[in-house]
Amino acid sequence: FFFFNDTATTEIYTLSLHDALPISKGKSAEDNIFAANNRAIALAKEIGVENVTNATVGSILDEDGSLVVLDVVKQELKNLTPPEFCAYAPIKGYDEFLKDCIDQCFGKSRPEGYIDACATPGGTGVLHHVVHNYSEPGDEVLITDWHWGAYDSLIDDNNRKVRTFSFLTSDGHFNAASFKENVEDILKKQDNIVIILNGIANNPTGYCMSVAEWQSAVDVLKEATKDETKNAILIADVAYLDYSGEKEECREFFKVFGGLPKNILVVCAYTLSKGFTMYGQRMGAMIGISSDKDVIKEYVDINQYSSRATWSNCNSAAQHAMIRICQDPEKIKQLDAERAKYYKLIQERAAIFVEEAQKEGVKFVPYISGFFITIPVTNSQAVCDILEKDHVFMVPLKKGIRLAVCSVSKKKMHGLAHKLAQIGRAHV
Ligand code: PLP
């Protein structure tokens, strides 16, 4: 117990460690990714960076291990004026910023319909608001079995339940049948279904759904919401969009979100974290698409209200940096060229692992693009522990281990598959 003497009231309060609500008890934000990263950093200090492979970091690091910040972003952050840095931004976000987010997100594949957006602190803010405003406490929120761990907390902390479906078939394609089965089952019990689909450059697998696969997901929702008392809210989590393929080609799937019935709302979780390398600036936007004007009006109203009631307004500097870049076609060209360069670098690193893994007979979940490759294993913590003894740090997941190709240099990528094969042969 702690005793506080409040001099204003002269009353004595007691605060015990048991004051949290039962529903909040036991929660803690100890993140196994940051924990492994911290161990890798500590070891690197001891024995030298060159002797440690830290494959936990979900940010792009260059070949000598330093954080990549795109040059065009660096320049425009430096050019900001003090008011651009420090003024309160509108709760909804600057109009110009939101327009730029919509343009940058969709490119030439803007879906048909009413589109509007609210600023959020990264993609995380989008997920928070959609779960909060479109599902009821106790509802199930549908996500893929392979998913970013933060989804669990975002759903659980809002007192909703995680429900997973099999993302991929045994031959490595989008599992539309599993998606359909789970959507239909949830809609028997709930009027609203919220789905988070990180279908391009998926974290943790690197799988990318084709346009036809996105279409099949949307078709499932259309069929399941024929009864107009049912609503589907699909979050397309496009965090790694800018490293998922050729600029316009990888955006073609957005077209399938156009012209949907009014009881299907699509929300793109757009973020500046990866595409602008502004991870710590905490900036993004929730971009809503609907065929109904009123649905989009309500969408903006309620989400702006929730912003006011949670984080209030978002980072002004990051919004202005993006506005400065997007208002100049030359700077957009520079941005595209820099992203293309890092997309290529990540692809080259992944190719080294993929080639060696195939030679060594090490299985991995089909990788197409993005920051991570996943190696399915049943005893992920044990495998990571053994790797750590060999100064290699990866992230244990429920059904596999995650290798961050965004942050491991080509030099250090060589030999990783061999190490995994050795562990497999010795322990399985
Ligand atoms: N979605 C996925 C799958 C992610 O991996 C991340 C970040 O790692 C995010 C969304 C959101 O990140 P942020 O809140 O930094 O935009």
Side-chain angles (χ1 to χ4, degrees), residues 30 43 56 70 135 263 266 386 402 414 417 427:
E30 176 52 28
L43 183 67
T56 67
L70 301 180
S135 65
N263 55 342
V266 178
I386 298 166
R402 192 186 81 170
H414 285 290
H427 297 271

Side-chain angles (χ1 to χ4, degrees), residues 121-124 127 148 151 198 203 237 239-240 271 273-274 279 282:
T124 305
L127 302 170
W148 181 40
Y151 289 172
N198 176 216
N203 175 3
D237 182 346
Y240 301 91
T271 173
S273 291
K274 335 279 167 176
Y279 317 87
R282 310 305 308 135

